[in-house]
Amino acid sequence: MSYGKLDYRNGDLPRGEPQMFRMNAQNITKPQTRTLPRHLRRLEAESIEIMREVVAEFSKPVMLYSIGKDSSVMLHLAQKAFYPAKVPFPLLHVDTTWKFREMISFRDETAQRLGINLIVHVNQDGIERGINPIDSGSTLHTQVMKTDALKQALDLYGFDAAFGGARRDEEKSRAKERIFSFRSQGHVWDPRNQRPELWNLFNTRSRKGETMRVFAISNWTELDVWEYIMLENIPVVPLYFAKQRWVVHRNGTLIMVDDERLPLAPDETPELKMMRFRTLGCYPLSGAIESDAANIKDIVAEMQVATLSERQGRLIDTDEVASMEKKKREGYF
Amino acid sequence: MDTDALRELTFTDSKDQLRFITCGSVDDGKSTLIGRFLHDSKAIYEDQLQALARDSVKHGTTGDDIDFALLVDGLEAEREQGITIDVAYRFFTTPRRSFMVADTPGHEQYTRNMATGASNAQLAVILIDARKGVLVQTKRHSYICSLLGIRHVVVALNKMDLVDYRKEVFDRIVDDYVDFASNLGFTSIAAIPISARYGDNIIRLSRNTDWFHGPCLLDYLESIDIQSETAGLPFRFPVQWVNRPNLDFRGYAGTVVSGSIAVGDEIVIPASGRNSRVKQIVTYDGDLVRAEAGDAVTITLTDEIDIGRGDIIAKPTERPEVADQFAAHLIWMDQEPMVPGRSYAFRIGTQSIASGSITAMKYRIDVNTGAHVAARTLSLNEIGFCNIATVLPAAFDAYEANRRTGSFIVIDRDTNRTVGAGMIAFPLRRAANIAWQPLSLGKKERAALKHQRPCIIWFTGFSGAGKSTIANLVDQKLFAMSYHTMLLDGDNLRHGLNRDLGFTESDRVENIRRAGEVAKLMVDSGLLVICSFISPYKAERDMVRDLVDDGEFIEVFVDTPIGECVRRDPKGLYAKAKSGTIKNFTGIDAPYEAPSAPEIHLTTLNQQPERLADTVLNCLATRGIIVPANRTEN
Ligand SMILES: Nc1nc2c(ncn2[C@@H]2O[C@H](COP(=O)(O)OP(=O)(O)OP(=O)(O)O)[C@@H](O)[C@H]2O)c(=O)[nH]1
Ligand SMILES: [Mg+2]
C-alpha cells in the first residue's frame, strides 16, 4: 500500500515504482509496418480474438452482412483473423428489397472480389403479403422483413452463431449487451438474465435450438470505425460520401428518391442536394444529412463537430420508447 | 493529410485507452456520474439530450432537473425502477485520453454483473454517498475489485451537496475507507469529493470545496499512469484455433496474452512437454519478427508436433503450471447454490474442460470483515476459497501472476449457465505425486476372457418406481445367459461404502460419485454392471457417463409418475416424508431431474416387470452389448 505516502486530500497522484525502460536490440529491430494508433490495434486484436473463438467453438457460424460501414469493418477483420485461410463462414444479407441500389451493387461486387459465399434471404411470405415500408409503416415492415426474415434464415440454414456489427456506443440498450449474446429458442434476448461475461472467457455453450449473436466490434465507436476505414483503406458504399443526389424533405429529414417506388405527396418535389448518409438501411427509412464531406478525412472532421447522433437519421428507432430493446427481445439482431 | 482532423487522429495514441468501472452501493450515484461525464465531455448528441429531457420527465428521480443516470440506465426495467441492473459499457474521449467505462449495478442481487464489469477494468471509481459513509456493498465491491486484480482505486465521495460540502465529512469517511481497504492490496487510492448531480470536482475543481486542491476526477483519470499489466510477464500464447488452409501450412492462431516471442525462439507445449521453434509469425499485414502482448497473430513452428485449441505455447525457461487440481477463489453467480462434488464444465483460457468439480470447500469469505468462515457450499454472490479437480490437466498461472491465464469460469453442464468465476491461487501437487501405475492387463483383455462387452446399465427413477425389481430381473436373465454381471443397489451401498452419507444435495452427489467410481472399476474388470440408484440429478448421472468410454453407459429411465410411487409406497417412506419424519425425500421435498435422452425409457404404468426386463435385454442386444440367443460358446 502506498496511500500513506501520498496526500490524497491534496490530490497528489500516486507514485508507482519508477518505470524501467529496457532497450535491447530486439526492440529496435521490430519492423514498423503498421501505422495504426495503439487503441485501434487493441480493438482490432480484440475483434480478431472474438472471431476466432466463434469459429473454434461453433459448428455453423455466419456473418450478418448489412453492407454498411460496420459490416465493411467486420469483413475486413474476418479476413485478417483467418489469414492465410479464407474467411471460413458465409455472409448473410437479409434483403428487405428496399435497400439503396448502390448498396446492392456494392454487396455483390464485394462478395465477388473476396470470393466469399453470400447468402441473400428475402422473406417471401412478407412479399406476398405486400409488406413495404411505405404502406405498412416502418414498425411492421421492420418486424416482418428484417426480424422475422432474419429468424427464418437462421433457422433455414441452421446457423448456431451469427456475427452482428452492432456497437455499444450506438444506442443505450446496445451498451448493455454482452459480446456473446445468448438467444434462447425463438432467438429471444432476455436482457434481465444475461450470462455473466468475465475476462475474455466466453461461455459458448448452447443447446439445440439456442443460438448466439456475437458482436465482434462491440467496443468500437463510430469514430474508431471511420479512422480504421481510412487507415486501412477499406472500401465502403459511396452513399457515405457527399454528392448531389435527388431528395425530398420529409418528417424533418431528407429522404433520397432512389427509385420510382417512393410515392411523392403533391407538395413534394425532388431537388438536387449535396448530401450523404451516416447510416444506411431501407432507403425510405434512412434520413440523409446535408454535407460536403466527399472523402473520409472530411467525414472524420465533420463527425468531430457533429451535434446529432448517427441513429438520428434512422426512422425506425424513434417509433416507440425503448424500441430498440423491444425489437431485440423479439429477435432483431 | 494536414487537416486539423488528422492531427486530432493521433491524440489517442499518446496514451492507451483507460478501462475503468464505477461501483459502490445502491443509489450512491454511479450512473449519474457516468451520465455527467458523457454529458460534460460532449459525448452526447443533441437528439440524445432531447430524448434525455423527455425521459427525465417520465422516469426521472431528480424532480425538474435532468436525470443523468437515464443516459446510462438503458434497459426498460432499469428506467422503470430507477436502478441499474446490468453493466453498461460507455466510451468517451478527451484530448488527453480515451476511456471505456463500465457502469455497474450497486444492488447485491446483481453482483455478478458488477464482477463482469470489474474483470476487465484497470481502475475502479468507488462511489460513497457522503450521507451514508462506507456500507456493506462498498466493502463487497472493494473486495471484488481487489480479488479481480484491480490495483488502482478512486474513492469518489459523492453527494457532497447534501452535506454542505463539509471537509470533516469527507475526512472522516475517507479515513474509514482507507482503514478498511488497507489490506486489500491496492497500489493507489485517491479520494475526491464530488457531486455527480451538480458537477462539482468532476471535470473542473469546484468553488464549493475550496479546501480541496485537486486534481478533479477527470484530470486524475487522464493522468494516472497505469503500467502495462502484461509487458514484463512470461510469454503466454493460448492456442485458439489451428489454421490449416492447405497441406503446406499449419499455423496456431491466438493472441499473445503476455510477454513476447520472436522468430527462432524455442518454445514448449507445457502439457505434453514437446519442444519446437518459432518459424514464422504470420499476419494479414505481413510476417512479424516479434509479437508482443496484445498482438493477434498466427504462429508456425519448425516441427510437426501435436498442438490443438486449449494448449498454451510458452518458453521452456518460463513454463506455466500444469495440474488437474488447484486451489482457487470462487465467486458464485447462480441462484442454485454450488454443490461440492458435482460435475461442472470449466473454461480455463482457451481450454474447455468437460468435467470437473469442487472437491473441498476451504472457507467462505465474509466481505464485511474479510474473515474466513467455515462453509460447505456457496450461494449466489458468495465468495469462497476451494480446491478444484478437473478430469484433464490444464495449463495455467496463478491469477496474481497473470490475470489472463489464471482465471476460469464454471458452467452448469445442463443449463449451460455461467454459474461461477474463479481465480487460481496455486496448483495442488497431489496430481503429480500420485502417478498412474501402468497395468499390463486392461479392460480389453479382461473382457475378452469373459467373451463380453462390459458396460454400466444405470437405472434411475423415483423411490418405489420399480428400479430394483427390474434391475434384479435383468441381472438374473443375464446370469442365466452366462454373462458375468454385478448389481450395485443404492440401498445396499448405503449400508457399507456409503454409510457415512446422508441425503443432502452434496451427500447425494458424493453417493453417486462413489458408486460411479466402483462401477467403473467393475467395467474395467470386464463386467456388465447393473446399478440401481434414484440418482435424481442429471449432472451426476452425466458424471458417471463420462467415467467410462462412449457407448458403455446405458441410462435406463424407470418412468413411474410420482403419484403412483406414493400410492405403492413399498417401504412406507413416502408416508414418513409427507409427515416430515424424513427430510430431502426425492419427489416430496427434493427435486428429480428426469433424463432428457435416456438410452432406454421404461414407462411402467400397467406393465409387468418381466416384460420391462425383456425390453431392457432387447435394447442391449440392439446395441450389440449382448447376443440375443443363449450364449453357447462358453
Ligand atoms: N443530491 C445529489 N443527488 C445525487 C448525486 N448523485 C446522484 N444523485 C441522485 O441519487 C439517485 C441515485 O443515483 P444513480 O446514479 O441512479 O445511483 P447508482 O449508484 O447508479 O444506483 P444503482 O446503479 O442502482 O446502484 C438519483 O436520484 C440521483 O439523481 C449528487 O451528487 N447529489
Ligand atoms: Mg446505476
Side-chain angles (χ1 to χ4, degrees), chain B residues 216-456:
Chain B
C216 68
L217 185 53
L218 184 62
D219 267 353
Y220 185 81
L221 295 175
E222 281 181 332
S223 49
I224 184 168
D225 186 13
I226 308 263
Q227 289 166 32
S228 160
E229 291 171 7
T230 46
L233 298 178
F235 171 69
R236 297 285 182 263
F237 186 83
V239 174
Q240 275 188 286
W241 182 68
V242 181
N243 194 345
R244 283 226 80 173
N246 57 57
L247 290 176
D248 303 325
F249 187 91
R250 185 185 186 87
Y252 305 103
T255 300
V256 180
V257 304
S258 59
S260 73
I261 192 88
V263 170
D265 282 356
E266 200 181 335
I267 61 97
V268 68
I269 306 303
S272 64
R274 301 293 302 271
N275 285 57
S276 185
R277 274 180 198 285
V278 175
K279 187 164 124 198
Q280 268 179 299
I281 302 173
V282 178
T283 80
Y284 178 87
D285 300 290
D287 285 5
L288 302 179
V289 174
R290 167 174 292 272
E292 303 193 349
D295 292 346
V297 297
T298 300
I299 292 178
T300 66
L301 302 176
T302 51
D303 307 274
E304 283 258 338
I305 58 176
D306 183 23
I307 302 179
R309 175 171 168 82
D311 277 317
I312 290 186
I313 300 181
K315 290 184 181 170
T317 47
E318 330 170 292
R319 300 173 192 234
E321 308 283 354
V322 178
D324 58 2
Q325 291 190 45
F326 52 83
H329 284 102
L330 187 62
I331 306 178
W332 199 251
M333 302 180 149
D334 201 57
Q335 227 70 45
E336 299 274 322
M338 182 268 279
V339 181
R342 165 158 295 173
S343 164
Y344 295 103
F346 286 75
R347 176 83 200 266
I348 308 177
T350 56
Q351 310 162 88
S352 293
I353 294 177
S355 175
S357 62
I358 290 91
T359 51
M361 213 19 238
K362 296 292 183 193
Y363 52 81
R364 185 170 64 73
I365 294 160
D366 179 339
V367 290
N368 227 339
T369 59
H372 299 172
V373 186
R376 298 195 58 187
T377 176
L378 290 176
S379 303
L380 179 67
N381 297 325
E382 288 184 341
I383 302 170
F385 191 72
C386 54
N387 290 350
I388 289 176
T390 52
V391 286
L392 292 173
F396 57 79
D397 292 292
Y399 187 78
E400 280 207 343
N402 194 325
R403 243 168 135 172
R404 292 286 295 269
T405 49
S407 49
F408 63 92
I409 56 171
V410 187
I411 301 168
D412 184 292
R413 295 183 51 178
D414 185 32
T415 62
N416 293 327
R417 285 199 302 261
T418 304
V419 292
M423 289 125 293
I424 299 177
F426 47 85
L428 296 167
R429 295 287 169 195
R430 257 172 285 156
N433 296 341
I434 310 174
W436 281 99
Q437 192 61 45
L439 303 177
S440 332
L441 290 175
K443 175 166 65 181
K444 225 174 92 201
E445 292 77 18
R446 295 180 200 281
L449 185 67
K450 303 185 180 71
H451 299 284
Q452 61 186 32
R453 274 184 56 189
C455 68
I456 296 177

Side-chain angles (χ1 to χ4, degrees), chain A residues 58 85 102 147 158 260:
Chain A
F58 290 87
E102 276 182 89
T147 308
E260 68 300 334

Side-chain angles (χ1 to χ4, degrees), chain A residues 119-132:
Chain A
I119 299 170
V120 176
H121 182 81
V122 177
N123 182 355
Q124 285 306 334
D125 174 56
I127 300 279
E128 276 154 36
R129 284 163 60 196
I131 304 288
N132 69 69

Side-chain angles (χ1 to χ4, degrees), chain B residues 124-146:
Chain B
V125 176
I126 298 180
L127 278 89
I128 301 179
D129 185 330
R131 296 168 305 172
K132 298 185 181 155
V134 178
L135 301 174
V136 181
Q137 265 311 79
T138 323
K139 293 182 177 176
R140 183 190 302 272
H141 280 187
S142 301
Y143 196 88
I144 292 176
C145 286
S146 155

